[in-house]
Amino acid sequence: MKKTILNVLMANVVLLSGCSMTMGNYGTNSHFAFPNSNITPLGEVKASTSKLGILTFPDFDGEDVILLSQEAIKQKAGAELLLNYSVDTKVTIFPLVTKMDITITGTAAKVQVGTQELRSFYDKVQYKMK
């Protein structure tokens, strides 16, 4: 009887144990910004998604990350790109099941194509304009 209970407890420990690993990537902007455009930050945004895999790892590809960045951009009205964003991936492995979470965080910004306004920049760094 004691041996059966011990075997059941050991099986539960093995089946319910797991481990997690987190890794990430960092980027400066999610989309192309024209060189002389004015970029206005609108605020921080965050979006995440997850997938499960049974006996295999879940499959995320570049299209999933693009959709996730578009979801984050939509959180701020008028936003067109993400600045200083990070993509973090967390993998949790249980026996027979793997869960993968992807989170993107960054600053949503709008882009106004045209002549860049540099006067305030020059005033801050105290350049002498001729």
Side-chain angles (χ1 to χ4, degrees):
M1 181 74 167
K2 287 183 181 180
K3 194 171 190 177
T4 304
I5 293 173
L6 183 62
N7 286 340
V8 169
L9 287 174
M10 290 296 287
N12 283 334
V13 167
V14 168
L15 290 175
L16 296 176
S17 64
C19 65
S20 289
M21 179 174 52
T22 303
M23 58 204 117
N25 192 10
Y26 178 79
T28 54
N29 56 322
S30 62
H31 296 77
F32 177 75
F34 290 98
N36 65 338
S37 57
N38 295 314
I39 298 175
T40 307
L42 300 175
E44 294 294 316
V45 292
K46 181 178 184 178
S48 61
T49 187
S50 62
K51 288 186 180 180
L52 287 175
I54 298 173
L55 298 176
T56 62
F57 277 90
D59 185 30
F60 277 103
D61 57 15
E63 186 175 319
D64 292 324
V65 176
I66 289 170
L67 291 173
L68 193 60
S69 67
Q70 290 173 348
E71 183 181 323
I73 291 169
K74 288 179 187 176
Q75 293 176 8
K76 296 289 182 179
E80 298 171 282
L81 60 87
L82 288 177
L83 300 175
N84 302 325
Y85 69 94
S86 65
V87 179
D88 297 317
T89 305
K90 180 181 178 184
V91 179
T92 305
I93 301 171
F94 296 102
L96 307 177
V97 178
T98 304
K99 181 182 179 192
M100 188 177 293
D101 301 307
I102 294 184
T103 304
I104 189 165
T105 56
T107 303
K110 71 176 183 174
V111 179
Q112 181 185 4
V113 178
T115 305
Q116 192 172 22
E117 299 166 10
L118 297 176
R119 173 61 68 191
S120 62
F121 171 76
Y122 284 118
D123 291 341
K124 286 180 186 175
V125 294
Q126 299 175 350
Y127 282 126
K128 293 183 181 178
M129 306 247 335
K130 294 182 180 183

